[in-house]
Amino acid sequence: MILNMTIITVVMISAFASIYIITYSNIQNENQIKLNNIAMSPIKMNSLIKSDENNNTGRVFVGRIPNDYASTFSVLVGKNNTLLNVHSYLDLSEETYAQATKLATSSNKESAVISIDGQRWLFKINSMNANLIIKEKSGVTQAAALEQIYFMDVTESYNILSQLLLTFGVITIVMLFVIFGISLFFARRAITPVEIAYEKQKQFIADASHELKTPIAVIHANAEALYANKTETIESQKKWLHYITAETDRMGRLVSDLLYLAKTDSEAVSNELTPFNISNVVTDVLLAMEAVVFEKGITLSQHIEPDLIANGVSDKIKQVVIILLDNAVKYVNENGNIDVTLQKSRNHVFFSVKNTGNGIPKEYLPKLFDRFYRIDDSRAHNGGYGLGLSIARAIIENAGGKIYATSVEGDSTTFVFELG
């Protein structure tokens, strides 16, 4: 999040700064061109200064500034930067004209921007090749060359730039908050599956370790019993060897199941899906289970549509059918019923196993296919490790199908999978 927000902030500031600099440059160039156009058509002035008989001062007669440039004024400056005359359509005080002239002449620049009473003025100094002719009682004398300074009000342009800068600042702050919120939302969505997977991995390791402890302890205890009776024959200690063999077989099945699930997680299972007759597969499994069902006094009903074709790996799908039927037989109530159905709906084949019994509470249904999950918190061993349904889900999902469970608490539980 820090890296993401840093990059976005740098990009936004760079983009807005570029826009501001380009806009600032364009406005400055436009103002400069406008003032240059005024300066290229200088105000014509009379070449005579008439003497005032009373105070012995003179006045310069000048021409007009074009009406298109009413936001400008010009001043005529003589020797020692003396303000000689002002030509303006603006309602400004004499002090303003004098201050503008002083700031322009003291800047030692031909063109710049000055600020007077909150207003900004762009000025340009033009040197004039005309000479003043002063009429005095003693005769006629030539004065120094004149300078004409043009001023243009650029306050509005700078206000626009200030408003643009403020707008960019507000937009940047608002957008950063919005982008932060959006980024945080999607980051949480992206991290949640990783977090869930991490928690499942920790739980998986803890469960696997727990499941392995029991058979290892049993094997170790029986081995110690064998070591304690070194003089005995193998036949006399056959039961210890039988326990060791049984536990190693269970551990072998556990490791095999774990390896299959690990391959599924890493997408290493690349079985090619082929069409097969799923009706024959289900029928074969039911025939093999009849003896077990009969011994437990369970009523088995079946509704198998013949010659249904599904896509998948027949041996793996057969394994799923065995897992679901074995699960139903294991948890059916005494003298209960198991109902097996295989039918086709549209382009999908649906297989379901329903058994009567206590049912499963709704809050447990989403966890049924988790590895090592058992509803019974006592984790009593009943010949399995809680991996059967996890393997069934992995096989069905690899075949592009879906598997799920429904239950009516106190009545029945149904497991369903569908294949294309």
Side-chain angles (χ1 to χ4, degrees), residues 176-192:
L176 286 177
F177 274 105
V178 172
I179 292 173
F180 176 80
I182 295 174
S183 300
L184 185 62
F185 172 75
F186 283 105
R188 285 178 175 174
R189 287 192 61 182
I191 291 175
T192 298

Side-chain angles (χ1 to χ4, degrees), residues 185-204:
F185 172 75
F186 283 105
R188 285 178 175 174
R189 287 192 61 182
I191 291 175
T192 298
V194 178
E195 184 180 5
I196 293 174
Y198 179 71
E199 292 299 325
K200 285 186 176 181
Q201 182 182 19
K202 290 199 302 182
Q203 185 64 38
F204 173 77

Side-chain angles (χ1 to χ4, degrees), residues 59-340:
R59 181 182 178 186
V60 177
F61 292 90
V62 296
R64 294 181 177 181
I65 296 178
N67 291 333
D68 293 341
Y69 305 107
S71 62
T72 65
F73 69 89
S74 65
V75 298
L76 199 61
V77 179
K79 187 176 181 180
N80 297 324
N81 295 327
T82 304
L83 176 61
L84 300 177
N85 199 2
V86 177
H87 193 283
S88 173
Y89 288 101
L90 302 174
D91 185 17
L92 301 174
S93 64
E94 296 296 329
E95 290 79 7
T96 301
Y97 294 126
Q99 187 179 0
T101 303
K102 182 180 179 181
L103 291 173
T105 54
S106 63
S107 67
N108 297 322
K109 297 180 181 179
E110 290 187 1
S111 181
V113 176
I114 59 175
S115 179
I116 302 173
D117 298 330
Q119 283 187 292
R120 294 179 180 268
W121 299 89
L122 175 65
F123 72 85
K124 182 176 177 59
I125 300 176
N126 271 6
S127 298
M128 304 183 66
N129 294 324
N131 289 327
L132 293 176
I133 302 174
I134 303 175
K135 293 182 180 180
E136 297 179 351
K137 293 180 180 180
S138 59
V140 179
T141 304
Q142 280 190 336
L146 298 174
E147 284 185 338
Q148 193 162 15
I149 307 176
Y150 297 89
F151 294 85
M152 184 172 67
D153 187 1
V154 293
T155 305
E156 185 177 354
S157 299
Y158 275 83
N159 288 341
I160 292 174
L161 290 174
S162 299
Q163 187 65 36
L164 181 64
L165 188 62
L166 178 62
T167 302
F168 281 163
V170 173
I171 291 176
T172 299
I173 294 173
V174 172
M175 288 302 297
L176 286 177
F177 274 105
V178 172
I179 292 173
F180 176 80
I182 295 174
S183 300
L184 185 62
F185 172 75
F186 283 105
R188 285 178 175 174
R189 287 192 61 182
I191 291 175
T192 298
V194 178
E195 184 180 5
I196 293 174
Y198 179 71
E199 292 299 325
K200 285 186 176 181
Q201 182 182 19
K202 290 199 302 182
Q203 185 64 38
F204 173 77
I205 293 172
D207 291 339
S209 300
H210 180 87
E211 295 294 347
L212 288 171
K213 280 182 180 179
T214 301
I216 290 175
V218 172
I219 292 172
H220 180 76
N222 284 279
E224 289 293 332
L226 290 174
Y227 279 118
N229 300 280
K230 296 180 180 180
T231 59
E232 298 291 331
T233 63
I234 293 178
E235 183 65 28
S236 64
Q237 302 193 75
K238 189 175 181 180
K239 64 175 182 177
W240 312 118
L241 296 174
H242 173 73
Y243 294 151
I244 292 175
T245 302
E247 292 302 322
T248 54
D249 289 342
R250 294 183 70 246
M251 287 181 63
R253 291 194 299 271
L254 172 60
V255 171
S256 178
D257 292 343
L258 292 177
L259 286 175
Y260 179 80
L261 292 173
K263 290 179 181 179
T264 303
D265 288 341
S266 63
E267 298 182 357
V269 178
S270 57
N271 294 314
E272 184 178 354
L273 304 181
T274 57
F276 68 98
N277 192 318
I278 191 173
S279 299
N280 293 340
V281 170
V282 174
T283 301
D284 291 342
V285 174
L286 289 174
L287 289 175
M289 297 285 291
E290 281 185 351
V292 177
V293 170
F294 178 77
E295 287 181 2
K296 295 192 68 172
I298 301 169
T299 301
L300 177 63
S301 59
Q302 48 184 297
H303 305 83
I304 310 299
E305 292 187 14
D307 298 326
L308 294 183
I309 304 300
N311 290 319
V313 180
S314 60
D315 290 341
K316 294 297 182 183
I317 302 302
K318 182 177 182 179
Q319 184 179 356
V320 174
V321 175
I322 292 173
I323 291 172
L324 296 183
L325 280 172
D326 181 67
N327 192 70
V329 171
K330 189 180 300 181
Y331 295 105
V332 69
N333 57 345
E334 187 176 356
N335 299 320
N337 298 320
I338 294 178
D339 185 17
V340 179

Side-chain angles (χ1 to χ4, degrees), residues 313-371:
V313 180
S314 60
D315 290 341
K316 294 297 182 183
I317 302 302
K318 182 177 182 179
Q319 184 179 356
V320 174
V321 175
I322 292 173
I323 291 172
L324 296 183
L325 280 172
D326 181 67
N327 192 70
V329 171
K330 189 180 300 181
Y331 295 105
V332 69
N333 57 345
E334 187 176 356
N335 299 320
N337 298 320
I338 294 178
D339 185 17
V340 179
T341 302
L342 180 66
Q343 60 185 2
K344 187 171 184 179
S345 177
R346 296 182 181 178
N347 296 324
H348 291 79
V349 174
F350 289 85
F351 173 82
S352 66
V353 178
K354 178 180 179 181
N355 66 278
T356 57
N358 295 328
I360 301 173
K362 290 183 178 180
E363 61 269 21
Y364 296 139
L365 289 176
K367 301 179 181 180
L368 286 178
F369 297 93
D370 291 347
R371 298 168 189 180

